[in-house]
Amino acid sequence: MDQGPNFSETPHQSVSFDDGLTLDCGRHLNRLTVAYRTYGTLNAARSNAILICHALTGDQYVAETQPVTGKPGWWGAVVGPERPVDTERYFVICANVLGGCMGSTGPRSPHDERPGEPWGVDFPPVTIADMVRAQQRLVNHLGIAKLFAVIGGSMGGMQALAWAALFPEQIFAAVPVAAAAYHSAQNIAFHEIGRQAIAADPSFHGGRYWAQGVTPARGLAVARMTAHITYVSEAALTRKFGRKLQGASDLLIGDRFEVESYLEHQGSSFVRRFDANSYLTITRAMDLFDLAADHDGSLAAAFTGTRTRFLLVSFSSDWLFPTAQSRAIAKALNHVAANVSFVEIMSDKGHDAFLLDEPDFHRTLSGFLAGCAEHAGLGA
Amino acid sequence: MSFTQPVRFVAKNMRVDLALIAGMVAPRSRVLDIGCGDGTLIDHLFRTKQCDARGIEIDMAEVTRAVTHGLPVMQGDADSDLANYPDGAFDYVILSRTLQAVERPREVLRQMLRISTFAIVSFPNFGHWSLRLQLLFGGKMPMTRAWHRMWYETPNIHPCTIRDFFALCEADGYKVEQWLAADEDGKKAPWRKFASLANFFGEQGLFLLRKV
């Protein structure tokens, strides 16, 4: 299958750092590019900046049309004028993660030693902390000494936690949503199915598919389909599809359940906007995430002395990053007497609830930010 | 927890205690309000006394309401979650009309005075004359403004009297820095010098404790 025509050619706003970035794995990237978008206006005191961190398959187009898919921004319900993250009040930054495929340095970027070809599978393994360090370079480049808040869901929540652990003095508030302080065995297991599906695709060519002018679309689609099931709850799937058939009233050989064609659609639309090697790189980064392990097994130690204000949000039907994970983070933050708000939102929409219309979540986020703004001395 | 429903004192009304409790808290202190409801008291302490006030609340709907108003409140449980805090994390920990509803009141008090210099505790007084009379003459569990749920569904599983509470403080080595008895509307009662009178006439007891 051919790569989508727009995919590789779409230009993205970005900044490049010629001194590169040294990664957790010890390797050094000679050149670091961070693709990003901003919304709203930075105030004179440079104190109203909010960094939004995207999830595994998200991108920097948080509140505007995604140029490759033509679809609305992935968090338009949360970020925008008079939204919880109000772009008339805050200066919002969102960057494509390191290892991504929307303009930031990743497997599709030119290889450091062989500039004529992309990194592909040779792209060094990156971590959530590496992603955060890349974002920090961007934030510094924008002349922002302290972020008012770092907000993210799922893998974005991992980044928010990593920000709080790595650069506590550089953020006033952190909002990890539907997140966890480590990737569980079950999380890793699902990711591994996806990676195996990609690797098993004959078009994968050991990761050098670009050299053959093909993409492992089938494998990537299966990876997406598997992952997608983990993003929704059983109740939501039942509500949406139940046992309904596609265009037929009785189940005959050859007929399809609606849920099947839905998943198929999820898979096929995904491969048009995502690079398989990026998927491998980023899922691995999530698997490697374990904030406590980085602090001798103590999650509390990651936050010692923190003055950051935290809002933890979980969703009741999220079985990928269940409430217990957020509660464990809250507990660790209590250990260091941190300022923490913690809310579990009742929802039957599963992990994806953080992306969907959840008025309680939106009100909570908006109230938390307003409270923080008061404490930070940000005028209304 | 032994309850599927959130434990909440049925006559809970923060405004009743608010002024009295706030009067015991020093400005700019670090405060934890356990069972903070929608956060009225912590908001009050922040606005009038510039306190770093936070809350724990077991009822998620109340937590959401509090956070929506910008207040630092987390969902949690007095019985299990105080153990997570480090020693001396706060200047004041407040337990307003919740002591009688927790599973292990003595342990909760111990935790409060571990994580905080002072503990402020209020509870409905089971020694009030009307309860005594109802039990004496009616022979049934008393029902009053403060105690108005049937025995089989009340969340208030550990009722005590003002004298009981004094005895516990003595047994566990807590110094009663201040105390007063009040009626349900939060008006200070005049018998504050005599504990036995307060125990008879006071509808609720309010104590400021510290470790000896």
Side-chain angles (χ1 to χ4, degrees):
Chain A
M1 185 174 156
D2 283 338
Q3 205 162 282
N6 299 327
F7 187 40
S8 52
E9 294 142 27
T10 307
H12 304 284
Q13 177 187 4
S14 67
V15 56
S16 289
F17 303 96
D18 290 332
D19 53 345
L21 184 74
T22 301
L23 304 172
D24 273 337
C25 66
R27 305 259 304 268
H28 182 79
L29 293 172
N30 290 341
R31 188 178 167 83
L32 170 69
T33 298
V34 181
Y36 67 100
R37 296 293 298 159
T38 67
Y39 309 86
T41 312
L42 190 61
N43 64 12
R46 298 179 168 265
S47 60
N48 68 332
I50 291 180
L51 177 71
I52 303 285
C53 302
H54 70 74
L56 168 59
T57 65
D59 51 47
Q60 64 272 40
Y61 299 99
V62 57
E64 65 191 300
T65 305
Q66 215 272 13
V68 176
T69 63
K71 287 186 178 161
W74 58 271
W75 227 8
V78 168
V79 181
E82 294 178 34
R83 299 286 185 200
V85 180
D86 187 347
T87 49
E88 286 171 359
R89 181 169 189 189
Y90 304 112
F91 177 65
V92 176
I93 309 158
C94 188
N96 185 216
V97 294
L98 180 68
C101 51
M102 281 293 149
S104 287
T105 300
R108 291 163 45 83
S109 309
H111 196 292
D112 271 353
E113 278 103 53
R114 300 187 295 276
E117 57 182 67
W119 280 101
V121 278
D122 292 337
F123 191 70
V126 299
T127 62
I128 299 292
D130 290 329
M131 295 175 179
V132 164
R133 290 187 194 102
Q135 288 163 351
Q136 191 208 26
R137 299 289 292 277
L138 168 67
V139 169
N140 293 345
H141 164 79
L142 294 172
I144 295 158
K146 186 167 189 167
L147 289 165
F148 171 61
V150 178
I151 304 171
S154 195
M155 185 181 84
M158 290 176 165
Q159 293 161 57
L161 289 169
W163 262 97
L166 286 170
F167 308 116
E169 297 306 315
Q170 217 175 335
I171 64 174
F172 186 81
V175 187
V177 179
Y182 65 92
H183 225 210
S184 71
Q186 190 187 36
N187 296 150
I188 296 167
F190 276 111
H191 273 177
E192 181 58 11
I193 297 172
R195 287 188 291 257
Q196 291 284 348
I198 291 167
D201 188 319
S203 300
F204 185 59
H205 297 288
R208 292 180 61 84
Y209 48 86
W210 42 268
Q212 316 287 324
V214 294
T215 59
R218 195 64 218 147
L220 186 57
V222 171
R224 175 64 171 176
M225 288 161 76
T226 311
H228 194 82
I229 300 169
T230 70
Y231 301 153
V232 293
S233 67
E234 198 262 344
L237 277 183
T238 302
R239 177 163 41 78
K240 264 174 127 166
F241 308 108
R243 295 184 48 79
K244 283 193 292 251
L245 296 169
Q246 189 76 33
S249 51
D250 295 309
L251 181 62
L252 300 167
I253 307 291
D255 280 341
R256 288 161 56 78
F257 287 102
E258 276 192 6
V259 68
E260 294 174 313
S261 60
Y262 167 75
L263 273 186
E264 183 98 335
H265 170 75
Q266 288 295 330
S268 61
S269 58
F270 180 61
V271 301
R272 286 195 286 273
R273 68 175 178 91
F274 218 85
D275 174 62
N277 282 327
S278 264
Y279 195 82
L280 298 178
T281 299
I282 300 173
T283 53
R284 204 62 189 154
M286 289 180 78
D287 292 353
L288 292 171
F289 187 64
D290 184 351
L291 207 45
D294 297 343
H295 295 82
D296 298 321
S298 162
L299 183 56
F303 304 114
T304 305
T306 188
R307 285 182 293 174
T308 302
R309 293 171 78 95
F310 289 83
L311 169 62
L312 303 167
V313 181
S314 68
F315 296 91
S316 56
S317 56
D318 182 351
W319 56 275
L320 192 63
F321 291 87
T323 292
Q325 292 277 17
S326 287
R327 199 179 293 283
I329 299 167
K331 206 166 151 179
L333 288 167
N334 284 341
H335 269 292
V336 295
N339 189 309
V340 48
S341 301
F342 163 48
V343 174
E344 179 191 47
I345 304 293
M346 291 299 150
S347 164
D348 74 348
K349 294 176 189 146
H351 183 60
D352 262 357
F354 85 89
L355 295 167
L356 303 171
D357 182 32
E358 289 287 353
D360 274 354
F361 165 46
H362 297 167
R363 272 196 292 273
T364 302
L365 178 58
S366 151
F368 173 78
L369 291 175
C372 286
E374 193 174 345
H375 284 271
L378 271 186
Chain B
M1 285 308 299
S2 56
F3 303 104
T4 48
Q5 289 300 307
V7 170
R8 289 176 58 203
F9 182 62
V10 288
K12 191 158 183 147
N13 178 348
M14 294 306 294
R15 270 165 300 188
V16 171
D17 294 318
L18 191 144
L20 292 178
I21 290 174
M24 291 178 164
V25 174
R28 282 173 292 283
S29 50
R30 299 165 299 165
V31 182
L32 179 67
D33 184 8
I34 305 164
C36 66
D38 68 1
T40 306
L41 178 59
I42 58 176
D43 192 38
H44 180 79
L45 289 173
F46 166 62
R47 292 192 189 286
T48 62
K49 298 204 163 185
Q50 294 76 50
C51 290
D52 174 3
R54 309 169 193 178
I56 300 183
E57 169 59 43
I58 197 164
D59 180 347
M60 196 52 89
E62 295 275 39
V63 176
T64 307
R65 197 168 307 142
V67 178
T68 298
H69 287 105
L71 303 170
V73 172
M74 58 174 284
Q75 201 270 343
D77 178 349
D79 275 305
S80 55
D81 291 343
L82 299 185
N84 299 329
Y85 292 89
D87 294 355
F90 301 96
D91 300 310
Y92 299 89
V93 173
I94 299 167
L95 189 70
S96 166
R97 293 167 163 256
T98 304
L99 184 71
Q100 76 290 344
V102 302
E103 225 157 279
R104 293 175 299 156
R106 189 177 189 178
E107 172 64 11
V108 168
L109 275 179
R110 195 185 71 77
Q111 289 289 354
M112 287 173 74
L113 283 158
R114 178 186 67 79
I115 67 176
S116 171
T117 310
F118 294 99
I120 298 176
V121 180
S122 80
F123 56 88
N125 173 29
F126 206 77
H128 188 259
W129 63 266
S130 79
L131 287 100
R132 298 192 199 193
L133 290 185
Q134 284 185 48
L135 192 56
L136 182 62
F137 295 111
K140 294 171 80 178
M141 285 301 282
M143 299 282 272
T144 66
R145 276 194 296 173
W147 303 91
H148 60 83
R149 291 267 285 270
M150 293 304 283
W151 62 272
Y152 45 78
E153 61 180 21
T154 179
N156 302 317
I157 52 174
H158 286 121
C160 73
T161 70
I162 287 174
R163 282 182 68 179
D164 286 326
F165 193 76
F166 269 111
L168 178 62
C169 291
E170 196 174 323
D172 286 357
Y174 307 138
K175 182 167 185 280
V176 178
E177 293 268 324
Q178 279 183 55
W179 73 274
L180 57 90
D183 67 19
E184 266 303 285
D185 300 320
K187 293 197 189 95
K188 281 189 221 178
W191 40 78
R192 64 126 11 264
K193 285 213 168 64
F194 305 98
S196 55
L197 282 180
N199 196 31
F200 198 73
F201 291 110
E203 288 183 286
Q204 57 174 319
L206 175 59
F207 286 73
L208 175 67
L209 311 176
R210 72 180 299 165
K211 249 201 296 210
V212 176

